[in-house]
Amino acid sequence: MATSFTVNGKAATTDAPPATPLLWVIREGLKLTGTKFGCGTGLCGACMVHIDGKRAYSCQTQVSEIAGKSVTTIEGLSPDSSHPLQKAWLAEHVPQCGYCQSGQIMSAADLLKQKPKPTRDEIVEHMNTNICRCGTYQRIVRAVERAARES
Amino acid sequence: MNKPLKHPTALSRRQVMIGAAGLSFAFALPGRAGASALAAARSGKALSPWVSIASDGTIMIMSAATEMGQGSMTSLPLVLAEELDADWSKVKIVTAPAVEAIYGNPGFQGMMYTAGSNAVTSYYGPLRIFGAQVRRVLLDNAAKTLGVPVDELTTEPSLVVHSKSGRRLSYGEIAATAEVPAKAPEIKPDQLKKAKDFRLITKDVMRVELPGKVNGTARYSIDLHVPNMLYGTVLRAPVEGSVPDKIDEAKAKAIAGVVRIVRLPYGVGTLAETPWAAFEARRALTQSVTWTRTGTAWGFDSDKGIERFAADAKNPARMSTEWSRIGDPRAQMPKAASTLEAEYRCDYAYHAQMEPLNAIASVSPAGDAVEIWAGTQSQTTATEAPAKILGISKDKVKLHDMLMGGGFGRRGNRDVDFIIDAVLMSKEAGRPVKVMWTREDDFANGRFRPISAHALKAGFDPSGKLSTWQHRIAVDRVGAYMDPVRYQAAGGKDFIAMLGADLKGYDVPHQLVEQLYRDTGVRTNPLRGISFIANRFATESFVDEIARKRGIDPVAYHLDLLKGTPRAIKVVERVVQMAEWGKKREGRALGFAYLDYSGSQVAGIAEISLNRTNGEIKVHNFWCTIDCGVAVQPDNVVAQQESSIVYGLGVALTEVITIKNGAVEQSNFYDYHVPRMKDVPAMHIEVIQTDNHPTGAGQMATPLVAPAIAGAVAELTGVRLRHTPFTPDRVKKALG
Ligand code: FES
Ligand code: FES
């Protein structure tokens, strides 16, 4: 029983069982490995993608929920790293190990879509979903502010 | 990717080669095989050099350290490129293969091992010399081509310039026809670049792997797909040392996509066609396996364990071994005019690197070779351990060392547990296997920062001067467990549990540090900040406590003790200025800590407030200064301190692993709380550039956090916190 949906604008299907987390379909089925596995329990945000334009934990989204939906992953955020957040992330030298950063950027992109000029408190509130064990939080805040300023 | 090395042992001391790509060089670091510098030979073979220059000007530089976010993949090649005067935009960085004779870390007896924030420290000198040697060879060749004396030539990035005639030759042009001398040119220290001429060092170049980390293209081992690969998971015994007894495979095997259930020496593996089938099978197995009651940790509870440790540390009748001694503390302590005693404790803590451990292995059908993809802190252990378990020689292990989604000390243990999983499973499957640990596995099989209890005693002379110091530490062993080879080589000294316990830099004439060796059977590893976290929490807290008891400002007290250490005084004075120490703040207070961490001088001040009702400590600001000598990438040094402070914050306030009957009680981020964005203070970091040899930067501020917070709480409430982490319950209890 195949499930059809779109990923980064392209049609995709999977025959994974309905209860399979979308995360594994994206990573191992479609081989879009920018989206990361961190906890599998909706606690770290490493797996963050957009579904129909809003952020979602792909580890908490089952295949049964995505039929006909449109999924965007970090690979689809921009074709050439030109999203203002990606540019700001580099300008502020945000990543360390980098493992959490796709999820961070996808979360931040969702914020800027809702609120192009967030306050610092709004940034912290929104981004609290995403763990960075390398502790890049201070630079993430700076990068989101920069992206908001420069876009 | 790495070229397979057919005969790495055939690499002799003669390691300058003309490679296929042009001029290639390799050199052996001092101290091994008698090779003290560049020796030269000609060879048509492309072996594994540190650097090669292609005729199109591309300069390939090997990266010998592994990359876990600390930046060594950029900073080491950068050092070589500086002396070579390479055009950085033409540099390509390639991960070095596991050939210790060439790439070994002089700081770890030649092991390829990235740990202890030691990569730049150890490689800095050799890489500079070597870069300068290559530059010199290029200059000599250019002199010949241009028919001018070599001392009329200078270099600009990737160019040799003859300013008299205005002629220029690119490095690529020179490399195309270069002759390599039989003997490497000698470079004297005064021929190295002066700091004022640096074009790369201290200039903050973009870390090379960052662009891939904002668009999803950076590759960690967990991201790879090898043709014909199966997925694997491993269920391990809840208690270290236990092995599977009865396995009821039925439920797991019935899951669609499951290929096989495998009995491993230490656990039970699942092999499946899809990752979800492998994970489902693992879940099904949890209720279907019984374990032997072997191993020492059975019956061990950490809450009772720490009580025993504390009682033993305090009890002089309990046997200890001397760790370090200055002066004559045993004779002096009884003569002290007055004494002060205190006790501190630390709990187990978990690395929580964001990438759950994983590896891919592909064992050859005959079982006589293996290819491995993994993120490891040591290319040496990551090749030796698989070779040993397969009974093959190390050169039959081809390692692709991948970016790590965090290391923090978890990926350097001698037995590389997470790689062996993949190797054994691939051998069983006869196909490549990617073994992934769930986050729950990563907790349950965690190797923790050990528990420790610290009994401290200070003796004062009649004038009140601190003259004698004693620090007794009961601590779960680390070195003997995580790396028995290095432990033996270190003469049975557990550096990973004991470093930082002395009072380095402090003017205290008689000092004694003693270790009470304990082995609970719990898995342990170094954790970021290593033993400095626990030991500096104890020592810095005690110094703070002494100062307050004597009515002296803790910073003034530190400065007095540090008066013989000018570099220390500088970082302390600067951080005090930055934080406006001494300025009263409404409802908030400051606390201070200082540390000499492997030569790096670090000082920190925390500003906190405290909710007395619920016991929560809030850290509002953290100021930090660091003098790590020449800061090769200063902004990265800042980033590493931010990172270290956040890490220290978790270990200081919230992170605790408890062991019940030998097994780990926590399982994911709902019962183990790492810092999130809301928890993080504003951090103000200043790097004090000095021309000292570079020392570590990757974890230096972590140990400052707990004692600085404890000092601030003492300032605010008069109450001393003695047990990390300072969880709300403990804080409430301490406040009474
Ligand atoms: S992997 Fe989905 S939230 Fe952690
Ligand atoms: S950059 Fe390493 S976890 Fe965020």
Side-chain angles (χ1 to χ4, degrees), chain B residues 478-523:
Chain B
V478 187
Y481 176 76
M482 67 83 59
D483 193 334
V485 178
R486 279 206 300 138
Y487 181 72
Q488 290 305 328
K493 288 208 124 191
D494 198 349
F495 286 98
I496 298 164
M498 292 301 291
L499 279 179
D502 53 9
L503 281 181
K504 198 161 171 211
Y506 292 70
D507 174 27
V508 180
H510 306 284
Q511 300 183 23
L512 179 63
V513 179
E514 297 169 288
Q515 178 184 3
L516 289 81
Y517 183 96
R518 294 292 177 269
D519 184 353
T520 62
V522 173
R523 301 171 173 116

Coordinates of all heavy atoms in Angstrom, one line a residue, chain B residues 478-523:
Chain B
V478 N 38.1 5.5 35.3 CA 37.8 5.8 33.9 C 38.8 5.2 33.0 O 38.6 4.3 32.2 CB 37.7 7.3 33.6 CG1 37.1 7.5 32.2 CG2 36.8 8.0 34.6
G479 N 40.1 5.6 33.2 CA 41.1 5.2 32.3 C 41.2 3.7 32.1 O 41.3 3.1 31.0
A480 N 41.2 3.0 33.2 CA 41.4 1.5 33.2 C 40.3 0.8 32.4 O 40.4 -0.2 31.8 CB 41.4 1.0 34.6
Y481 N 39.1 1.5 32.4 CA 38.0 0.9 31.7 C 37.9 1.4 30.2 O 37.8 0.5 29.3 CB 36.6 1.3 32.4 CG 35.4 0.9 31.6 CD1 35.1 -0.5 31.7 CD2 34.7 1.7 30.8 CE1 34.0 -0.9 30.9 CE2 33.6 1.3 30.1 CZ 33.3 0.0 30.1 OH 32.2 -0.5 29.4
M482 N 38.1 2.7 30.0 CA 37.9 3.1 28.6 C 39.1 2.9 27.7 O 38.9 2.8 26.5 CB 37.5 4.6 28.6 CG 38.5 5.6 29.0 SD 39.7 6.2 27.8 CE 38.7 6.9 26.5
D483 N 40.3 2.9 28.3 CA 41.4 2.6 27.4 C 42.5 1.9 28.2 O 43.5 2.6 28.7 CB 41.9 3.9 26.8 CG 42.9 3.6 25.6 OD1 43.5 2.5 25.7 OD2 43.1 4.4 24.7
P484 N 42.4 0.6 28.4 CA 43.4 -0.1 29.2 C 44.8 0.1 28.7 O 45.8 0.1 29.4 CB 43.0 -1.5 29.2 CG 41.6 -1.5 28.7 CD 41.4 -0.3 27.9
V485 N 44.9 0.2 27.4 CA 46.3 0.3 26.7 C 47.0 1.6 27.2 O 48.1 1.6 27.7 CB 46.2 0.3 25.2 CG1 47.6 0.4 24.6 CG2 45.5 -1.1 24.8
R486 N 46.2 2.7 27.0 CA 46.9 4.0 27.5 C 47.0 4.0 29.0 O 48.0 4.6 29.5 CB 46.0 5.2 27.0 CG 46.3 5.5 25.5 CD 46.0 7.0 25.3 NE 44.6 7.3 25.6 CZ 44.2 8.5 26.2 NH1 45.1 9.3 26.6 NH2 42.9 8.7 26.4
Y487 N 46.1 3.4 29.7 CA 46.2 3.4 31.2 C 47.5 2.7 31.6 O 48.2 3.1 32.5 CB 44.9 2.6 31.7 CG 44.9 2.5 33.2 CD1 44.6 3.6 34.0 CD2 45.0 1.3 33.8 CE1 44.5 3.5 35.3 CE2 45.0 1.2 35.2 CZ 44.7 2.3 36.0 OH 44.6 2.2 37.3
Q488 N 47.7 1.5 30.9 CA 49.0 0.8 31.3 C 50.2 1.7 30.9 O 51.1 1.8 31.7 CB 49.1 -0.5 30.5 CG 48.1 -1.6 31.0 CD 48.2 -1.9 32.4 OE1 49.3 -1.8 33.0 NE2 47.1 -2.2 33.1
A489 N 50.1 2.3 29.7 CA 51.3 3.1 29.2 C 51.5 4.2 30.2 O 52.6 4.7 30.3 CB 51.0 3.6 27.8
A490 N 50.5 4.7 30.9 CA 50.6 5.8 31.8 C 51.0 5.3 33.2 O 50.9 6.0 34.2 CB 49.3 6.6 31.9
G491 N 51.4 4.0 33.3 CA 51.9 3.5 34.6 C 50.7 3.3 35.5 O 50.9 3.4 36.7
G492 N 49.5 3.0 35.0 CA 48.4 2.8 35.9 C 47.9 4.0 36.6 O 47.3 4.0 37.6
K493 N 48.1 5.2 35.9 CA 47.6 6.4 36.5 C 46.3 6.8 35.8 O 46.3 6.8 34.5 CB 48.7 7.5 36.4 CG 49.8 7.3 37.3 CD 50.5 8.7 37.7 CE 50.5 8.9 39.2 NZ 50.8 10.2 39.6
D494 N 45.3 7.1 36.5 CA 44.0 7.4 35.9 C 43.9 8.9 35.7 O 43.2 9.6 36.4 CB 42.9 6.9 36.8 CG 41.6 6.8 36.1 OD1 41.5 7.3 34.9 OD2 40.6 6.2 36.6
F495 N 44.6 9.4 34.7 CA 44.6 10.8 34.4 C 43.1 11.3 34.1 O 42.8 12.5 34.4 CB 45.4 11.1 33.1 CG 46.9 11.0 33.5 CD1 47.6 9.9 33.2 CD2 47.5 12.1 34.1 CE1 49.0 9.8 33.5 CE2 48.9 12.0 34.4 CZ 49.6 10.9 34.1
I496 N 42.3 10.5 33.5 CA 41.0 10.9 33.1 C 40.1 11.2 34.3 O 39.1 11.9 34.2 CB 40.4 9.9 32.1 CG1 41.3 9.9 30.8 CG2 39.0 10.3 31.7 CD1 41.1 8.7 29.9
A497 N 40.5 10.5 35.4 CA 39.7 10.8 36.6 C 40.3 11.8 37.5 O 39.7 12.4 38.4 CB 39.5 9.5 37.4
M498 N 41.6 12.1 37.4 CA 42.3 12.8 38.4 C 42.9 14.2 38.0 O 43.2 15.0 38.8 CB 43.5 11.9 38.9 CG 43.1 10.7 39.7 SD 42.1 11.1 41.2 CE 43.3 11.9 42.2
L499 N 43.0 14.4 36.7 CA 43.6 15.7 36.3 C 42.8 16.9 36.8 O 41.6 16.8 36.9 CB 43.7 15.8 34.8 CG 44.9 15.1 34.1 CD1 44.8 15.3 32.6 CD2 46.2 15.6 34.7
G500 N 43.5 17.9 37.2 CA 42.8 19.1 37.7 C 42.5 19.1 39.2 O 42.0 20.0 39.7
A501 N 43.0 18.1 39.9 CA 42.7 18.0 41.3 C 43.7 18.8 42.2 O 43.5 19.1 43.3 CB 42.8 16.5 41.8
D502 N 44.8 19.2 41.5 CA 45.8 19.9 42.3 C 45.5 21.4 42.2 O 44.5 21.8 41.6 CB 47.2 19.6 41.7 CG 47.3 19.8 40.2 OD1 46.3 20.4 39.7 OD2 48.3 19.5 39.6
L503 N 46.4 22.2 42.7 CA 46.2 23.7 42.7 C 47.2 24.3 41.8 O 48.0 25.1 42.2 CB 46.3 24.3 44.1 CG 45.1 24.1 45.0 CD1 45.3 24.7 46.3 CD2 43.8 24.7 44.3
K504 N 47.2 24.0 40.5 CA 48.3 24.5 39.6 C 48.2 26.0 39.5 O 47.2 26.6 39.3 CB 48.0 23.9 38.2 CG 49.2 24.0 37.3 CD 49.1 23.0 36.2 CE 50.2 23.2 35.2 NZ 49.8 22.9 33.8
G505 N 49.4 26.6 39.7 CA 49.5 28.0 39.6 C 49.3 28.8 40.9 O 49.6 29.9 41.1
Y506 N 48.8 28.0 42.0 CA 48.5 28.7 43.3 C 49.7 28.6 44.2 O 50.4 27.5 44.2 CB 47.3 28.0 43.9 CG 46.0 28.2 43.3 CD1 45.7 27.6 42.0 CD2 45.0 29.1 43.8 CE1 44.5 27.8 41.4 CE2 43.8 29.2 43.2 CZ 43.6 28.6 42.0 OH 42.4 28.8 41.4
D507 N 50.0 29.6 44.9 CA 51.1 29.6 45.9 C 50.6 29.0 47.2 O 50.2 29.6 48.1 CB 51.5 31.1 46.1 CG 52.5 31.3 47.2 OD1 53.3 30.3 47.4 OD2 52.6 32.3 47.8
V508 N 50.7 27.7 47.2 CA 50.4 26.9 48.4 C 51.6 25.9 48.5 O 51.7 25.0 47.7 CB 49.1 26.1 48.3 CG1 48.8 25.4 49.6 CG2 47.9 27.1 48.0
P509 N 52.5 26.1 49.5 CA 53.7 25.3 49.5 C 53.6 23.8 49.7 O 54.4 23.1 49.3 CB 54.5 26.0 50.7 CG 53.5 26.8 51.5 CD 52.4 27.1 50.6
H510 N 52.6 23.4 50.4 CA 52.4 21.9 50.7 C 51.1 21.4 50.2 O 50.0 21.9 50.6 CB 52.6 21.7 52.2 CG 53.8 22.2 52.8 ND1 55.1 21.7 52.6 CD2 54.0 23.4 53.5 CE1 56.0 22.4 53.2 NE2 55.4 23.5 53.8
Q511 N 51.2 20.5 49.2 CA 49.9 20.0 48.6 C 50.0 18.5 48.5 O 51.0 17.9 48.1 CB 49.7 20.6 47.3 CG 49.6 22.1 47.2 CD 49.4 22.6 45.8 OE1 48.9 21.9 45.0 NE2 49.7 23.9 45.5
L512 N 48.8 17.9 48.7 CA 48.7 16.4 48.6 C 47.4 16.1 47.9 O 46.3 16.6 48.4 CB 48.8 15.8 49.9 CG 48.7 14.2 50.0 CD1 49.8 13.6 49.2 CD2 48.6 13.7 51.4
V513 N 47.5 15.4 46.8 CA 46.2 14.9 46.2 C 46.3 13.3 46.3 O 47.3 12.7 45.9 CB 46.1 15.4 44.8 CG1 44.8 14.8 44.1 CG2 46.1 16.9 44.7
E514 N 45.2 12.8 46.7 CA 45.2 11.3 46.9 C 44.0 10.7 46.2 O 42.9 11.3 46.1 CB 45.1 10.9 48.4 CG 46.3 11.3 49.2 CD 46.0 11.1 50.7 OE1 45.2 11.9 51.2 OE2 46.5 10.2 51.3
Q515 N 44.2 9.6 45.6 CA 43.1 8.9 44.9 C 42.6 7.6 45.6 O 43.5 6.8 46.1 CB 43.5 8.5 43.5 CG 42.4 7.8 42.7 CD 42.9 7.3 41.3 OE1 44.1 7.4 41.0 NE2 42.0 6.7 40.6
L516 N 41.3 7.5 45.8 CA 40.8 6.2 46.3 C 40.1 5.6 45.1 O 39.1 6.0 44.6 CB 39.7 6.5 47.4 CG 40.3 7.0 48.8 CD1 40.5 8.5 48.8 CD2 39.3 6.6 49.9
Y517 N 40.8 4.6 44.6 CA 40.4 3.9 43.3 C 39.1 3.1 43.6 O 39.1 2.3 44.5 CB 41.5 3.0 42.8 CG 41.3 2.3 41.5 CD1 41.7 2.8 40.3 CD2 40.5 1.1 41.5 CE1 41.5 2.2 39.1 CE2 40.3 0.5 40.3 CZ 40.8 1.0 39.1 OH 40.5 0.3 37.9
R518 N 38.1 3.4 42.8 CA 36.9 2.6 42.9 C 36.4 2.1 41.6 O 36.6 2.7 40.6 CB 35.8 3.6 43.5 CG 36.0 4.0 44.9 CD 35.9 2.9 45.9 NE 36.2 3.3 47.3 CZ 37.4 3.2 47.8 NH1 38.4 2.8 47.1 NH2 37.5 3.6 49.1
D519 N 35.9 0.9 41.6 CA 35.4 0.3 40.4 C 34.0 -0.3 40.7 O 33.8 -1.4 41.2 CB 36.3 -0.9 39.9 CG 35.9 -1.5 38.6 OD1 34.8 -1.1 38.1 OD2 36.6 -2.3 38.1
T520 N 33.0 0.5 40.3 CA 31.6 0.1 40.5 C 31.1 -0.9 39.4 O 30.0 -1.4 39.6 CB 30.7 1.3 40.5 OG1 30.7 1.9 39.2 CG2 31.1 2.3 41.5
G521 N 31.9 -0.9 38.3 CA 31.4 -1.7 37.2 C 30.6 -0.9 36.2 O 30.2 -1.4 35.1
V522 N 30.3 0.3 36.5 CA 29.5 1.2 35.6 C 30.5 1.6 34.5 O 31.6 1.9 34.7 CB 29.0 2.4 36.4 CG1 28.3 3.4 35.4 CG2 28.0 1.9 37.4
R523 N 29.9 1.7 33.3 CA 30.7 2.2 32.1 C 31.0 3.7 32.2 O 30.1 4.5 32.5 CB 29.8 2.0 30.8 CG 29.4 0.6 30.5 CD 28.4 0.7 29.3 NE 28.0 -0.7 28.9 CZ 26.8 -1.2 28.9 NH1 25.8 -0.4 29.4 NH2 26.5 -2.4 28.5

